[in-house]
Amino acid sequence: MSLFLSTHINRIDKKGRVSVPAGFRAALAGQSFHGVVLIRSSAHPALEGFGWDMMHELSNRLDEFDIFSDAQDDLATAIFGEAVPLSFDGEGRIVLPVELMEYAGVVEQAAFVGMGRKFQIWEPAALKERQSQARSAIRDKGLTLPREARG
Amino acid sequence: MSLFLSTHINRIDKKGRVSVPAGFRAALAGQSFHGVVLIRSSAHPALEGFGWDMMHELSNRLDEFDIFSDAQDDLATAIFGEAVPLSFDGEGRIVLPVELMEYAGVVEQAAFVGMGRKFQIWEPAALKERQSQARSAIRDKGLTLPREARG
DNA sequence: TGGATATATATGGGATAGCATGGTACAGGA
DNA sequence: TCCTGTACCATGCTATCCCATATATATCCA
C-alpha cells in the first residue's frame, strides 16, 4: 500500500519517542530516507507528515521559480525551513522535538491521522473536535470530491 | 539525503567558528569541495549558502542572459565576485569572515535555515521576524507551489 | 473448532557513538 | 619575532542504537 489510512493513537514516552503506525511505515517502504518529514500545520494546532519523496517533489516545484526571487524565498523559508526530517529507529519510532510537541499540544499521546498522501499528528482530544467540525462542514457546505486530480 | 531542511541555531565562538549542522553536511557529502560557498543575500540581512556544485547551476542559469549584457554583468559580479568559499575543519565547522558576520548581524549565534537546494544564515531574532513575514506573504499573495512541473 | 504456538507491533530502559563546542599547538606570512 | 589563521586534540551532552518485554494478531495442529 502507499496511502496513509485510518487513525492510530500511540503513546509518547519520556524521551519523546512515539511509534509510527506500522501501516504508515509500510506506505513509506522503499524510500531513500528511512523516516518521515514533519512540519507545523498552518491551519491547525497539528503537524503535517509525509515521506521524503514528497520533499523532493516540492523541491522540484520550487526550482521552477527564479532563484533568489521573493516568491521562491518566501516559500522556501516557510516550507523547507520549518520541515523537520525524523528518521526511524530500529523499532519504527521517531523522536518528536519539543517545539513540535508544544505546537500540537501533544503530551503523552499522539493521534496519527491518515490523509492519503500525507498524514497529520494531533492531540487526541483536539482531533475529536476537529473531526466533528469537519463532518459538519461537509454536511453544511455540501462538499464532495472532484472527479480526478490531474498530475 | 540531498536537501537542506529545517532550522538549526549554533553558537559562534570567539574565533568566528560555527558548526555547520550535521544534516547540512550530510547533504553536501560527496562533493569535490569539502565546505560551503557563502554570498550576501541581496534581499535580506542574511547570507546565502550552498555547495560548490550549485555554483555550476548558477552559472548555467546566468547563461540565459546575453553575455556582456548589463543584467548578466550585474548578476555575475554580485554572485561570483562576492562568493566566499569556506572549507570545513575536522569537526565540520567553518570560520565566518567578519564582513559577512557584520552584514548578517550575527554575533554569538547563527541560525542555519534549510531551503531545499540552498540555505541561509541569519541572526536568530531577525530570522523569527522573517519567518512570520514569509508566512503572511504566502497567505496574502496566495503563493503555492505549482502542481505540475513545467519541463 | 478450540487451544497453543509463532509472529509482529508497541513500549520501555540502558549503553554507546556522534555532535556541538572549547582550547591548545603549530605553521605561514608580515 | 609577532600575529593571524589553520589543524589537531579534549569534553559534555544528546540522540541513536540495541536489547528486553508485553500485548495483539495470525497460524497451525490436534
Side-chain angles (χ1 to χ4, degrees):
Chain A
M1 87 176 94
S2 58
L3 291 176
F4 302 110
L5 287 186
S6 103
T7 298
H8 306 261
I9 297 180
N10 285 342
R11 181 172 175 75
I12 304 172
D13 67 20
K14 47 191 168 190
K15 290 182 178 179
R17 292 182 300 189
V18 61
S19 288
V20 174
F24 287 23
R25 297 203 303 267
L28 293 167
Q31 298 206 3
S32 55
F33 174 63
H34 199 59
V36 300
V37 178
L38 296 186
I39 187 170
R40 292 173 168 85
S41 163
S42 56
H44 308 288
L47 306 174
E48 309 267 354
F50 29 81
W52 184 260
D53 59 346
M54 177 72 87
M55 289 314 288
H56 239 284
E57 186 179 327
L58 293 176
S59 171
N60 287 337
R61 294 184 191 180
L62 199 62
D63 283 346
E64 297 295 320
F65 290 82
D66 284 347
I67 200 165
F68 302 132
S69 70
D70 286 347
Q72 209 257 10
D73 205 83
D74 289 339
L75 288 166
T77 300
I79 296 176
F80 290 86
E82 305 244 5
V84 184
L86 301 172
S87 55
F88 295 140
D89 68 8
E91 286 72 40
R93 288 174 292 194
I94 56 175
V95 181
L96 293 176
V98 278
E99 313 87 55
L100 294 186
M101 286 183 63
E102 285 170 1
Y103 183 82
V106 297
V107 181
E108 46 178 32
Q109 284 192 322
F112 289 76
V113 186
M115 300 182 74
R117 279 164 51 72
K118 68 171 187 177
F119 62 89
Q120 289 180 348
I121 298 178
W122 285 76
E123 196 286 315
L127 173 63
K128 266 196 148 180
E129 196 150 327
R130 165 71 190 134
Q131 283 174 326
S132 70
Q133 185 189 44
R135 271 194 295 270
S136 51
I138 289 174
R139 177 165 19 84
D140 297 347
K141 300 177 189 168
L143 292 178
T144 59
L145 285 174
R147 271 180 69 90
E148 200 172 326
R150 294 158 300 149
Chain B
M1 72 177 107
S2 58
L3 291 175
F4 301 110
L5 277 195
S6 104
T7 298
H8 305 263
I9 296 179
N10 285 343
R11 182 170 177 76
I12 303 172
D13 68 18
K14 44 192 169 189
K15 292 181 177 179
R17 292 182 301 188
V18 61
S19 288
V20 174
F24 286 23
R25 298 203 304 265
L28 293 167
Q31 298 206 4
S32 52
F33 174 62
H34 199 58
V36 300
V37 178
L38 297 185
I39 67 175
R40 292 173 167 84
S41 162
S42 56
H44 308 289
L47 306 173
E48 308 270 354
F50 21 71
W52 186 260
D53 61 346
M54 179 61 106
M55 296 307 285
H56 285 103
E57 183 180 330
L58 293 178
S59 170
N60 288 337
R61 292 199 180 206
L62 210 54
D63 288 345
E64 299 294 320
F65 291 87
D66 193 11
I67 202 168
F68 302 132
S69 72
D70 287 348
Q72 209 269 1
D73 203 78
D74 290 342
L75 285 167
T77 301
I79 295 174
F80 292 97
E82 302 233 12
V84 182
L86 300 172
S87 55
F88 295 140
D89 69 7
E91 286 71 41
R93 287 175 292 196
I94 55 175
V95 180
L96 292 176
V98 278
E99 313 87 58
L100 295 186
M101 286 184 63
E102 285 169 1
Y103 183 82
V106 297
V107 181
E108 46 177 32
Q109 284 191 322
F112 289 76
V113 186
M115 299 180 73
R117 286 155 57 69
K118 67 170 188 177
F119 62 90
Q120 288 180 349
I121 298 178
W122 283 77
E123 196 287 315
L127 172 64
K128 266 196 150 181
E129 197 148 326
R130 164 70 190 132
Q131 282 175 325
S132 67
Q133 184 191 43
R135 273 193 289 267
S136 49
I138 288 174
R139 186 165 4 92
D140 297 347
K141 300 179 192 166
L143 287 179
T144 56
L145 287 170
R147 200 182 146 65
E148 254 179 72
R150 291 159 291 158

